Amino acid sequence: MQAWWQRWRWTVLTAALVATVFSGLLLNGRLWGIWGVLHMRPYYTDLVAVLAAGELHAAGGDVYGDVSLDPYGRPHVYGPAWLLTGGLGWGMTDAWWLGGCLAVIFIGVSAGLLAPTNRGAVARAVLFLLSPPVVLGLERGNNDLVIFLLVAAAAALVSVRERGAALAGAGIILFAAALKFYPLVCLVAVLVRPEALGRRVALIGGGLLVFAAFWWLWRHDISRALALTPQPITVFAYGLPVTQVTWSYLPAERGWLLAGWLPVLLAGGAALWRQRADVISLMPADGWRASLMLAGGAAWTACFLLVPSFPYRVVLLLLVFPAWLRCGAPQLGGRILWIVVAICWWAAPKFWLANYTESHPQESWALHLIVFMAGVEQAVWLLVTVVVVAAAVVVMWRRWRSDRQGAGSASPVTSSAR
């Protein structure tokens, strides 16, 4: 017991602090605005929308049509697999306890993945988990938290040597992809499994075929859901398309956008280039941390490059940091996490300024500052994504070289046995 407590006491403290502060926010609605979070009623509003769709589907209604049980009239915009909630007997009235369970599990798993080992690491973990983007996901009961938990479990399983564990992990990834599509890219986590390359490729190929069959069978529902999927046209979203949206929709503010974007991108790029030896050491060659990083990094990168993402999708980076904090360059990993923490808290003053701009539209300085801050933020996320991609490419290159060396050193007997 003593050994267990010595190892996990900082993790327990992190989870307890985050849970306590989040509970305080739930009990005092006046704090949401100070925190930089737009609070919606009822609590766990995004979860309510999913449960409303499941409830309507169980009653025989059209969840993609004009009629909705959701208090905001929102149709179902996700994959049909979410509608299983209605078959389980869950409805909107269950949102309070399901949302609470989701928050508790997410906080516990996140604290365990970050696994702080001292007071400074606890402070860093707590600040990240209580930052406005993450708290927004908790307050809404958003299903990206569910995806995070599924991918975390799947990535850990696919790193296990036993074939059954790998199949279970791939199955969980496919289930997550059926829920929200983008987790399909997380199948790349299979590439660091401790087995022959052919088996890894076969597992990924089989997963893609299963998902293709699912897509074909449910293609009408999926096409209707995709047509309804909201696209956040706002500087409060993340992703490369957000820069283009900001540039197009706010032409008078382009100078402010560049003033924030260019200096950070140039200075940050130069710093990363000087530390390129450390950047390529951010990734272990195998093990569960490597699987987590590949899965989370692939999901984050796909979302960042292809679509504007609501802020709570930053939780995908939680899958990356266990590798970065315990790799060949943990100091660089820790500094990047501190930068991510800072830019996540950047959302709070942006939120305050947006409220000020709404009530004082004649004050142009506030809009200038918002766009400048958005430029800084978008440049930071681009640099973080570059590091994610670079680390993933390096580990896959190392694993490919290891596979080739293993194949080259095998005798004809062992080769035929394989």
Side-chain angles (χ1 to χ4, degrees), residues 84-295:
L84 294 171
T85 57
L88 294 172
W90 294 342
M92 291 183 292
T93 56
D94 296 295
W96 67 272
W97 68 269
L98 285 172
C101 289
L102 176 61
V104 169
I105 296 171
F106 171 81
I107 291 170
V109 171
S110 300
L113 289 177
L114 293 172
T117 55
N118 53 55
R119 292 184 181 87
V122 168
R124 184 176 59 196
V126 169
L127 285 171
F128 179 76
L129 295 176
L130 287 176
S131 65
V134 179
V135 168
L136 176 65
L138 290 169
E139 185 268 346
R140 299 289 165 85
N142 185 261
N143 49 22
D144 274 315
L145 305 187
V146 177
I147 299 300
F148 161 81
L149 294 171
L150 290 173
V151 172
L157 282 170
V158 299
S159 67
V160 177
R161 183 174 296 275
E162 285 74 14
R163 188 68 173 171
L167 290 172
I172 293 173
I173 290 175
L174 292 175
F175 178 64
L179 293 174
K180 215 164 180 183
F181 311 139
Y182 73 80
L184 183 65
V185 299
C186 298
L187 282 173
V188 298
V190 171
L191 292 175
V192 293
R193 273 190 52 72
E195 65 178 357
L197 177 61
R199 291 183 178 180
R200 284 177 273 152
V201 172
L203 184 56
I204 293 175
L208 293 176
L209 288 175
V210 170
F211 184 79
F214 159 79
W215 190 282
W216 176 255
L217 290 172
W218 294 96
R219 61 191 181 279
H220 298 300
D221 293 66
I222 291 172
S223 63
R224 296 182 70 190
L226 290 175
L228 296 168
T229 301
Q231 295 292 333
I233 309 298
T234 170
V235 295
F236 287 88
Y238 298 157
L240 199 58
V242 176
T243 302
Q244 188 274 328
V245 166
T246 309
W247 186 267
S248 300
Y249 281 78
L250 297 171
E253 307 299 327
R254 289 173 179 174
W256 293 98
L257 178 66
L258 290 174
W261 195 81
L262 275 178
V264 173
L265 192 66
L266 294 174
L272 289 175
W273 179 253
R274 287 194 299 270
Q275 299 180 74
R276 58 190 180 276
D278 288 337
V279 170
I280 64 176
S281 300
L282 283 173
M283 186 70 183
D286 51 28
W288 66 272
R289 291 191 182 95
S291 296
L292 280 173
M293 192 277 168
L294 274 183

Side-chain angles (χ1 to χ4, degrees), residues 147-148 151-152 155 173 182-183 185-189 283 288-304 313-322 324 385 388-389 392:
I147 299 300
F148 161 81
V151 172
I173 290 175
Y182 73 80
V185 299
C186 298
L187 282 173
V188 298
M283 186 70 183
W288 66 272
R289 291 191 182 95
S291 296
L292 280 173
M293 192 277 168
L294 274 183
W300 167 266
T301 302
C303 292
F304 182 84
R313 200 163 282 173
V314 74
V315 299
L316 294 173
L317 290 176
L318 278 167
L319 300 169
V320 172
F321 282 109
W324 286 10
T385 306
V388 169
V389 173

Side-chain angles (χ1 to χ4, degrees), residues 320-405:
V320 172
F321 282 109
W324 286 10
L325 295 174
R326 291 162 182 82
C327 61
Q331 292 183 340
L332 177 60
R335 285 197 297 270
I336 295 175
L337 180 50
W338 270 119
I339 291 171
V340 169
V341 168
I343 212 67
C344 282
W345 278 99
W346 200 252
K350 278 174 58 186
F351 180 83
W352 305 333
L353 283 168
N355 287 338
Y356 181 84
T357 301
E358 284 189 6
S359 57
H360 301 80
Q362 72 282 3
E363 300 285 351
S364 59
W365 67 267
L367 179 59
H368 298 334
L369 188 52
I370 289 174
V371 175
F372 169 80
M373 295 176 70
V376 172
E377 183 180 69
Q378 291 167 24
V380 169
W381 291 129
L382 178 57
L383 290 170
V384 169
T385 306
V386 168
V387 176
V388 169
V389 173
V393 168
V394 166
V395 76
M396 286 191 287
W397 167 255
R398 288 173 176 169
R399 189 56 194 269
W400 181 75
R401 287 183 60 188
S402 176
D403 289 335
R404 289 199 63 185
Q405 291 170 358

